[in-house]
Each structure stands twice: as C-alpha cells, then as structure tokens.
Amino acid sequence: MTLTKPKKIENKIAAKETLLTPRFYTTDFEEISKLDISKNQQEIEAIVEEFRIDYNRDHFIRDKEFSKTWDSFDEKTRNIFIEFLERSCTAEFSGFLLYKEISRNLKNLNPLLAEGFSFMARDEARHAGFLNKAMSDFNISLDLGFLTKTRKYTFFSPKFIFYSTYLSEKIGYWRYITIYRHLEKNPSYRVYPLFRFFESWCQDENRHGDFFAALLKSQEHLLNTNEARLWCRFFLLSVFATMYLNDLQRKDFYASIGLNAKEFDQYVIRKTNQSAKTLFPIVLDVDHPEFFLLLDKCSTINQKLSEIDKEEYSTIAKSIFKVPYYGKLIFTLIKLYLLKPIETNYIWAM
Ligand SMILES: [Fe+2]
Ligand SMILES: [Fe+2]
C-alpha cells in the first residue's frame, strides 16, 4: 500500500471586496412570507416537485482525475485558476446563505416557498462545496465560516432579489453551458476536470431561474407595470455590465481555456437577454450598434480604475484620482440605459 503525503492546505482569506466582487445579500423575510402566490401556485408546485427529484444528487462526486497533481500548472495559470475558483465559490456560497435564510424565515408562514428555497440552498451548498474542494487541489481553501461572519451584507428588497437572482441564475446557466460546449468541441483546452461537471450543474441554475420566473409571474405587478419595465431594464443592464467588466479584467483565465473573453461574454449576454424575453415586458437591444461599444468604453474606464488601485498612492489620493473615471463610468452606463429597449409584447396575466 502506498501512502500519499497529505497536502498542506492553506486557509485563504477572501479577496478584498470591490464594487464588482460577488456580494452577500439579505432581504425583508417578513414581506416574502406574506406573498400571495396563489395566481401561479401550480407552476411553483411543479418546479418544487422537480427540485425534490434531485437529479444531481450523485453528480458532484470527485473521480480519480482530480487526484492527479496540478503542480505542473505554471505560477500564473495557477493563480488565475485559484481566482476563478474563489470568485465562483463565493458567488455560489452567497446564494446558499440567502436561500437558506429565506427558507428558515418562511418555514411556518409560507411552506411551499420555504421548501423551494431550501432545495435551492441544497444545490448551491453542493456547488460551493465542490468548488472549495477544487481549490484544495491547488493547496488552498476558503474559510466559509469566517466569510459568513465577516462579509458585509447588502440589503435588497424582495422584488430586487427576485429580478436580480432570476437573471443571475439564467446568466449562470448560459455561462456554464457555453464553457461546457466549447470544451466538448476543444478537449485539448480542458485542462482541469471541473469543467466536465458543468453540463448537469448548469441545469440546477436553469431550474433555479425558472423558480424565480414562476415567483415573479405570481406577482403580476412586478412584470406588467411601467415601474416594472424600468426595473427590468435596470437589472438587465447591471447584471450584464457587472459580468462584462469582471470578465474583461480576467481575459487570461478565459484564454487559458481557449476562449476569447469578449466573444464569450457577448454570446452569454445575447442568450440571457433572449431568455429574459420569455418573462420580462422589455429587454435590452443588444444588437444596437452602440450597445457593445458603450460596454467596451465602460470596460476601458474600469481598467483605468483598477490601474489607479495598483499605484502606490495614499487611499485619499486614489479616491481623488478615481472621481473623474467614476463620473465617466456612470455617464456611459446612463447612455446604455437610455438606448431604446425592445418590447417583448409579453403581458403576463393569469
Ligand atoms: Fe449554483
Ligand atoms: Fe443557482
């Protein structure tokens, strides 16, 4: 019998929080518990029933391909992989905490929704755990308990949680499936076994998105009013812009798996926008000639902001230097928001 020397696993303190790092959210649990979901109860019940089947119960099992040593990765590749795993793990774990808290608070007041949220928390815990195990292949792990206690929680009202998590789940689905299909066609770029798991994994995210879609449909005023149209536009743009700015800062990671970050993001944005067409009264005109030009401008400004961060100025000096760039960024985002949207003619009524 051969004994392998146990690896020394360092506990990693989560990276510094910036505007674009995955956030932790909290909400008004009482307001959610009082929601009358009777208008779309059947669809919600059907999705909860699917969650109960638990298609991916046996999916997240590490096979022998993971036991290979990953020390052959050069320092740069290793670091970009760790960053990708850390950000993904934090985002999945943030979903777990939010869904778990909502479920706990709704237990006696709205059992159907409580059950739906607890199934989604189960899935996100699996995703976060699997990613954290993957980090240990690079001799590092995230202290999730520490993260829970020390991260700042952002308050979002329930309707904002519904719009933004619906879109995050759908964009997550498109990201995972696109990476999976690309590596299926180009196996030489599948440098680490995690990506093999994305096909079934992304179906979890797709079902979560469907749950939020069904929940939004049970609240007609969140889809049919003029106010709803403004919020749908706002959340589409913020979810798309956040991903675009984040990914274009991390081109090297996408290049390491043979993807062009810009092309990948533009494809994912188009697909998510198309998915939103089946729910939102309005979607963004991503084929408008200005749309990606303006997003590219935002990305260049964001690059400038991170360059200032890397300089050895004092914190006050950095903040002063950043002001004009923040001004330009906000101005460009407003221009994007004001581009004429596309009517989906989708009026939801039961
Ligand atoms: Fe997930
Ligand atoms: Fe999810």
Side-chain angles (χ1 to χ4, degrees), residues 139-332:
N139 305 339
I140 230 152
S141 111
L142 256 190
D143 186 342
L144 298 175
F146 179 79
L147 204 62
T148 314
K149 283 186 222 118
T150 51
R151 265 293 169 100
K152 274 190 248 117
Y153 287 76
T154 307
F155 179 87
F156 254 24
S157 74
K159 68 174 177 185
F160 295 164
I161 292 281
F162 300 158
Y163 293 130
S164 59
T165 40
Y166 163 72
L167 286 169
S168 309
E169 296 288 1
K170 288 289 172 186
I171 213 167
Y173 164 76
W174 282 112
R175 288 171 63 79
Y176 286 146
I177 196 68
T178 308
I179 292 178
Y180 179 84
R181 285 184 190 146
H182 156 74
L183 294 176
E184 201 178 25
K185 272 192 232 131
N186 304 281
S188 61
Y189 283 109
R190 224 204 63 213
V191 287
Y192 182 62
L194 180 85
F195 306 113
R196 253 195 305 118
F197 290 73
F198 278 11
E199 191 184 27
S200 303
W201 184 328
C202 75
Q203 296 306 333
D204 281 343
E205 314 303 8
N206 203 23
R207 281 187 285 270
H208 299 171
D210 290 343
F211 179 81
F212 283 106
L215 188 51
L216 278 162
K217 286 184 204 164
S218 75
Q219 313 298 307
E220 282 175 28
H221 67 284
L222 295 184
L223 295 172
N224 291 348
T225 59
N226 281 332
E227 190 193 332
R229 298 158 70 84
L230 296 176
W231 286 124
C232 288
R233 263 167 96 176
F234 175 81
F235 280 102
L236 280 162
L237 180 59
S238 35
V239 169
F240 293 166
T242 306
M243 178 183 76
Y244 204 74
L245 301 195
N246 263 322
D247 286 351
L248 263 54
Q249 267 183 316
R250 293 169 180 81
K251 284 185 192 143
D252 290 351
F253 168 73
Y254 294 93
S256 75
I257 54 168
L259 278 169
N260 172 309
K262 197 183 262 196
E263 285 169 15
F264 168 72
D265 270 40
Q266 295 192 356
Y267 177 80
V268 168
I269 287 175
R270 286 200 161 88
K271 287 297 190 183
T272 311
N273 201 50
Q274 244 172 43
S275 297
K277 256 188 196 170
T278 60
L279 180 71
F280 287 176
I282 222 161
V283 289
L284 303 187
D285 184 3
V286 295
D287 291 317
H288 189 289
E290 289 278 293
F291 186 82
F292 283 114
L293 284 180
L294 288 169
L295 266 186
D296 282 336
K297 204 169 164 190
C298 291
S299 162
T300 312
I301 302 167
N302 184 48
Q303 212 66 47
K304 281 274 173 210
L305 285 165
S306 54
E307 275 164 27
I308 296 175
D309 258 334
K310 283 179 205 148
E311 295 287 345
E312 296 205 346
Y313 305 132
S314 68
T315 320
I316 299 174
K318 278 184 191 174
S319 310
I320 295 169
F321 290 141
K322 280 181 183 175
V323 171
Y325 292 106
Y326 276 129
K328 279 188 204 168
L329 185 60
I330 293 167
F331 181 70
T332 317

Side-chain angles (χ1 to χ4, degrees), residues 2-17:
T2 44
L3 282 176
T4 46
K5 202 173 135 210
K7 279 190 292 183
K8 190 177 177 303
I9 300 201
E10 279 171 54
N11 247 334
K12 188 175 190 306
I13 305 293
K16 202 176 124 241
E17 211 170 325

Side-chain angles (χ1 to χ4, degrees), residues 92 99 120 124 127 169 204-205 208:
E92 297 279 9
Y99 298 161
M120 291 196 293
E124 305 301 15
H127 303 166
E169 296 288 1
D204 281 343
E205 314 303 8
H208 299 171

Side-chain angles (χ1 to χ4, degrees), residues 73-174:
F73 276 26
D74 62 55
E75 186 70 13
K76 192 179 158 220
T77 317
R78 184 180 177 273
N79 288 340
I80 54 176
F81 255 80
I82 291 173
E83 199 203 7
F84 166 76
L85 294 171
E86 183 193 346
R87 291 180 65 86
S88 308
C89 181
T90 310
E92 297 279 9
F93 189 64
S94 147
F96 159 73
L97 284 179
L98 176 69
Y99 298 161
K100 185 85 200 154
E101 269 311 284
I102 296 178
S103 162
R104 205 171 58 81
N105 282 277
L106 263 56
K107 206 163 187 166
N108 302 320
L109 301 156
N110 201 330
L112 178 62
L113 284 189
E115 210 183 0
F117 277 103
S118 98
F119 284 137
M120 291 196 293
R122 167 201 71 194
D123 296 341
E124 305 301 15
R126 265 180 205 156
H127 303 166
F130 201 67
L131 285 158
N132 212 3
K133 281 233 179 73
M135 286 179 78
S136 70
D137 291 335
F138 298 91
N139 305 339
I140 230 152
S141 111
L142 256 190
D143 186 342
L144 298 175
F146 179 79
L147 204 62
T148 314
K149 283 186 222 118
T150 51
R151 265 293 169 100
K152 274 190 248 117
Y153 287 76
T154 307
F155 179 87
F156 254 24
S157 74
K159 68 174 177 185
F160 295 164
I161 292 281
F162 300 158
Y163 293 130
S164 59
T165 40
Y166 163 72
L167 286 169
S168 309
E169 296 288 1
K170 288 289 172 186
I171 213 167
Y173 164 76
W174 282 112

